[in-house]
Amino acid sequence: MPTLVFRTLYDYRDLLFAWTGRIVRARYQQSILGGLWAIIQPAATVAIFTVLFTRFLRVDTGGIPYILFAYAAMVPWTLFSASITDMVESLVTNMNLVTKIYFPRDILVIAALLARLVDFAIAFSILIVLLVLYQAAVNLPGLLLLPVLLAVQLALALGVGLIAAAVNVFYRDVKHLVALGLQIWLYATPIIYPATLVPEHLRGVYFLNPMAGVIQGYRAVLLSGDLHAPYLVVSAVVAALMLGFGFWFFKRMEHQFADVV
Amino acid sequence: MSEAVHFDHVSKRYRIGRPPLSLKTLLGSLRRRAEAQERAQERAQERAQERYHWALRDVDFSLQPGQSLGIIGPNGAGKTTILKLLSKVTYPTGGRVAVNGRYSSLIELGAGFHPDLTGRENVYLNGIILGMRRAEITRRFDDIVQFAGIGQYLDTPVKRYSSGMYARLGFAVAAHVDPEVLIVDEVLAVGDMAFRRKCYDRMVQMMKNGTTLVLVTHDFSAVQRVTPRCLVMYRGQIAFDGPAPDATAEYSNILRKAAQARSDVPENGALSQMVMTHAAVIEGVKLLREDGTPAFTFQSGETVRVRMQLRFHEAAPAPIFACSLRLPDGQTVYDYTTGWAGVTTPTFEPHSVAEVEFALKMNLVSGAYQLGVDLAYADLSCYYDRMVRAVDFVVVGRDGARGVADLGARFAVVHTALAESAPGGACLPAGAPAAIPSLETNQ
């Protein structure tokens, strides 16, 4: 089955890219700030937490300026959560196409994911500026790890997105459930606080959350934190399983989508 | 297996009503559990039967490459389901659907158009959705734009387009996909007549190039012109499969039977309270040209003979014949009865057949019209039979006039002269040529 998935994706690559382009262009069409929104979203969240965690509650970030500490994690997290939010709705908002024209439906889901990469790139470029401004200790050879981290989180997001999008066609509760889940997930991941805050004996369980390993990975590379390779391996394995299951599940449900009225 | 399309005893069942599971049914079933077990089961079974609807039952046909097929039938007959199965949007519950070769489905014009994107961007998007490669679209781009006739608006967001422009652009893309099998739903209803003609011409041209066409439509004249073979669908089954002219007659027949089965309550008019007795029935209605050839498309001003075939089960003394013309939106264009006109009709014998004819001068502008006929008792107490929409036909106008009636306008400049610097602005003194103000009101 995996080869089949990739082959149809290859056959439909024009559609995938055209649809991704449609989402990106439509998103910033008729908006004054346009692509700036890709920065405002994570920056605003970071600003709030910076005030909170530097004025009222102090957290130990190991000497890293809090704003840098949080933003470096918030950028990949925003990619993760925004792409899942978009993917969940990707089928339902295009039902008029799904019920009328044939193409592999996962195209819609994957395009929703890819479209968020554009925002990610914009937000990431600001991150680079911040890293330079604060003269952060970037782990230069570690930068090679960035594509791996990105791949792991994309695989995880796509796995979750495929399942959620498919179920959302039948039960719209999923949309709300996912929004709630992502909110909880944000706090269950070391984004606004360091993982060191988690009691030692709970860390094994804590890092079963695949995003924990990914976020730690980003910090390790960009801010010279500790890598904890085993945690990253856990993340990669969970992400791969999720992606495989996601495609399997999606392909099983796919042929029923058009019949739901 | 050289068939382009093969429907092998295809059935399709839809679930209707609520989704299988919701909080309400969950709570409901918990409550029911307390009730007697058997009764709940009984009811569940009942509901299971109600919840399904057979959209298609045992539909079987095939098409050779280059053949074309029209599908007509009332709403809910399964036409769209056939198209969805053909385009693999949905899958059959029973049987097998095979489509060989590249296909393109025109079930919705401008599928995937985004209102905020420009015409140019949407052409690419729509083309790719319909199965074209990007390079292919680039190659045919100029043809597409020319066909749509939207040249200078190419870089305008399509949300600023008129609905006509939107439809034109949508069809233009689809018409350039060059599929081996083209699947077209009733999408052309939006365009104006000229554009529809252009679309049908394009379909005919594609068929000549070997494209297999499946066309769902209500436009009988299109069926006549484009698809020699036609299916009549009724309640999910094929009611008729054969030549298009017979199919349109068969379709009217089915509608009539359906109306009878519902013990039809006819609409408006003095006869509205009456029922049909079927002591005499209208067996068929044909439209003929003056020379007697059957047709569905007429020139404006042409005389059309409306031939009714009748069967009398009982004696019908001096019945009243009527025929009426309507626009597709239901507006009456013309309504004629032998009663109003004071035409006397003979007495028809029991167990006899007869043919009668109205001759109508079609002084109508271009457009689609519906013709209905009735046969009523002499005292207008009852109908013997009536066909509210017996035949649909198309009138092709000689000029570009709009409206309903063709008044055969002719234009002439009656007089021109230099105005003699008339002071006081009395450009139109009393008694000015009447043609000028009347021209203005014509515009």
Side-chain angles (χ1 to χ4, degrees):
Chain A
M1 201 191 85
T3 51
L4 192 74
V5 167
F6 288 123
R7 253 202 51 187
T8 53
L9 278 186
Y10 182 77
D11 288 346
Y12 281 88
R13 63 192 181 281
D14 279 355
L15 178 56
L16 179 60
F17 296 135
W19 199 257
T20 306
R22 176 193 196 261
I23 298 172
V24 173
R25 255 179 298 213
R27 186 181 295 155
Y28 298 122
Q29 198 82 239
Q30 275 216 357
S31 105
I32 299 167
L33 295 180
L36 275 181
W37 284 111
I39 302 162
I40 295 170
Q41 173 60 39
T45 323
V46 166
I48 293 164
F49 289 124
T50 305
V51 172
L52 186 65
F53 286 113
T54 56
R55 294 271 166 129
F56 304 109
L57 291 160
R58 307 217 63 124
V59 294
D60 177 21
T61 56
I64 302 164
Y66 182 82
I67 189 167
L68 198 56
F69 173 85
Y71 191 73
M74 194 55 84
V75 169
W77 173 261
T78 304
L79 168 64
F80 184 74
S81 87
S83 65
I84 289 180
T85 307
D86 287 358
M87 283 188 280
V88 173
E89 295 265 48
S90 60
L91 294 175
V92 173
T93 52
N94 294 300
M95 264 334 239
N96 63 327
L97 274 191
V98 170
T99 55
K100 282 171 183 150
I101 292 172
Y102 175 78
F103 52 86
R105 277 66 172 88
D106 40 326
I107 297 279
L108 293 176
V109 183
I110 299 170
L113 176 69
L114 294 186
R116 280 291 168 192
L117 277 178
V118 176
D119 295 38
F120 176 71
I122 297 170
F124 201 88
S125 62
I126 296 298
L127 179 56
I128 294 170
V129 173
L130 281 182
L131 289 171
V132 173
L133 273 180
Y134 283 93
Q135 297 175 333
V138 176
N139 179 350
L140 286 176
L143 285 180
L144 291 174
L145 205 59
L146 272 186
V148 178
L149 292 168
L150 188 59
V152 170
Q153 79 162 101
L154 288 179
L156 183 65
L158 185 54
V160 174
L162 285 168
I163 297 163
V167 182
N168 194 44
V169 172
F170 301 94
Y171 304 105
R172 299 294 141 83
D173 312 50
V174 174
K175 179 177 81 178
H176 306 289
L177 208 63
V178 165
L180 184 65
L182 283 171
Q183 220 172 337
I184 297 168
W185 205 340
L186 166 70
Y187 294 103
T189 308
I191 295 162
I192 56 172
Y193 59 88
T196 46
L197 275 192
V198 178
E200 197 90 44
H201 66 278
L202 288 178
R203 288 220 190 123
V205 180
Y206 183 80
F207 274 97
L208 281 180
N209 166 11
M211 277 310 279
V214 171
I215 294 296
Q216 283 297 89
Y218 275 106
R219 283 223 183 88
V221 171
L222 298 173
L223 306 170
S224 288
D226 304 322
L227 179 57
H228 301 301
Y231 295 150
L232 191 55
V233 171
V234 170
S235 301
V237 170
V238 173
L241 289 176
M242 194 58 117
L243 183 63
F245 177 73
F247 265 114
W248 175 82
F249 181 79
F250 192 90
K251 288 288 165 194
R252 270 185 70 99
M253 308 297 280
E254 191 177 37
H255 68 278
Q256 293 179 32
F257 294 159
D259 292 348
V260 180
V261 253
Chain B
M1 268 307 292
S2 61
E3 290 147 343
V5 172
H6 186 72
F7 259 57
D8 185 7
H9 298 282
V10 172
S11 296
K12 174 73 188 179
R13 191 180 65 179
Y14 278 105
R15 189 195 293 278
I16 48 174
R18 288 184 307 238
L21 180 74
S22 77
L23 198 57
K24 265 191 226 151
T25 53
L26 269 182
L27 291 178
S29 67
L30 284 179
R31 217 180 303 143
R32 256 206 312 280
R33 200 166 293 174
E35 292 174 22
Q37 199 81 7
E38 317 163 18
R39 262 186 59 199
Q41 246 170 9
E42 213 171 277
R43 221 184 310 157
Q45 236 165 20
E46 250 169 54
R47 268 186 306 125
Q49 272 170 356
E50 282 166 19
R51 266 209 223 118
Y52 293 106
H53 163 68
W54 287 92
L56 288 183
R57 270 184 201 274
D58 201 31
V59 170
D60 195 271
F61 67 88
S62 60
L63 287 172
Q64 300 298 321
Q67 275 190 342
S68 63
L69 180 74
I71 302 176
I72 58 178
N75 290 335
K79 304 181 303 263
T80 304
T81 307
I82 291 184
L83 294 194
K84 284 187 175 180
L85 287 164
L86 275 174
S87 50
K88 295 188 190 162
V89 164
T90 187
Y91 296 81
T93 315
R96 210 172 52 85
V97 176
V99 179
N100 296 315
R102 163 163 147 161
Y103 62 90
S104 176
S105 59
L106 200 48
I107 301 188
E108 185 174 62
L109 280 183
F113 271 19
H114 194 291
D116 283 334
L117 301 186
T118 66
R120 183 189 304 276
E121 289 167 324
N122 274 312
V123 164
Y124 275 94
L125 196 59
N126 185 230
I128 288 170
I129 288 173
L130 294 178
M132 285 166 101
R133 289 249 157 263
R134 180 165 278 278
E136 217 175 324
I137 301 171
T138 307
R139 205 168 60 237
R140 315 207 60 174
F141 193 83
D142 293 341
D143 293 344
I144 293 172
V145 172
Q146 210 204 338
F147 189 94
I150 54 141
Q152 77 245 53
Y153 301 106
L154 207 48
D155 293 305
T156 307
V158 296
K159 65 181 169 190
R160 308 230 169 83
Y161 282 23
S162 70
S163 56
M165 284 162 69
Y166 193 93
R168 286 209 298 276
L169 190 61
F171 186 83
V173 179
H176 289 82
V177 176
D178 268 349
E180 284 155 55
V181 180
L182 179 68
I183 302 161
V184 185
D185 197 359
E186 182 97 61
V187 283
L188 301 175
V190 276
D192 54 74
M193 277 304 284
F195 180 69
R196 270 153 78 167
R197 180 99 44 80
K198 201 167 159 188
C199 295
Y200 288 128
D201 288 349
R202 173 80 195 170
M203 288 182 207
V204 171
Q205 188 198 329
M206 286 165 84
M207 278 158 53
K208 279 187 191 139
N209 297 340
T211 301
T212 308
L213 176 74
V214 179
L215 172 70
V216 162
T217 183
H218 288 116
D219 185 350
F220 290 172
S221 69
V223 171
Q224 308 281 333
R225 198 158 13 151
V226 182
T227 62
R229 178 181 164 196
C230 189
L231 291 187
V232 179
M233 292 300 298
Y234 187 64
R235 295 194 172 184
Q237 284 168 318
I238 297 180
F240 178 84
D241 179 357
D246 301 345
T248 49
E250 182 63 26
Y251 179 35
S252 307
N253 226 356
I254 285 170
L255 285 187
R256 187 165 57 106
K257 277 187 209 146
Q260 285 171 15
R262 284 199 308 270
S263 69
D264 199 40
V265 183
E267 54 234 53
N268 62 31
L271 301 172
S272 62
Q273 298 307 315
M274 296 180 296
V275 285
M276 288 186 264
T277 64
H278 299 109
V281 294
I282 303 168
E283 294 211 302
V285 177
K286 272 191 287 196
L287 299 185
L288 307 173
R289 292 193 196 285
E290 249 184 322
D291 63 8
T293 52
F296 291 90
T297 305
F298 300 95
Q299 285 296 320
S300 177
E302 191 177 345
T303 297
V304 176
R305 293 156 60 184
V306 179
R307 174 78 58 92
M308 288 169 73
Q309 286 144 325
L310 307 153
R311 180 177 295 275
F312 294 90
H313 299 301
E314 292 163 26
I320 290 174
F321 294 88
C323 81
S324 60
L325 254 61
R326 282 172 217 278
L327 293 175
D329 65 12
Q331 190 195 328
T332 302
V333 174
Y334 186 72
D335 197 353
Y336 173 89
T337 80
T338 54
W340 296 336
V343 174
T344 47
T345 52
T347 295
F348 293 88
E349 298 297 319
H351 310 293
S352 65
V353 292
E355 290 197 6
V356 301
E357 208 172 270
F358 297 95
L360 301 175
K361 205 158 158 50
M362 289 299 172
N363 288 330
L364 300 171
V365 301
S366 294
Y369 297 89
Q370 302 170 353
L371 181 126
V373 290
D374 345 306
L375 177 59
Y377 282 73
D379 56 0
L380 289 178
S381 60
C382 282
Y383 285 113
Y384 292 101
D385 195 4
R386 75 182 306 206
M387 294 163 85
V388 177
R389 187 178 172 187
V391 193
D392 288 11
F393 64 96
V394 170
V395 171
V396 181
R398 291 163 302 190
D399 49 32
R402 305 281 164 88
V404 178
D406 183 356
L407 303 183
R410 264 173 307 189
F411 172 80
V413 177
V414 178
H415 171 70
T416 122
L418 282 177
E420 282 137 38
S421 61
C427 293
L428 281 178
I436 294 169
S438 73
L439 266 183
E440 277 169 359
T441 52
N442 263 350
Q443 299 286 301

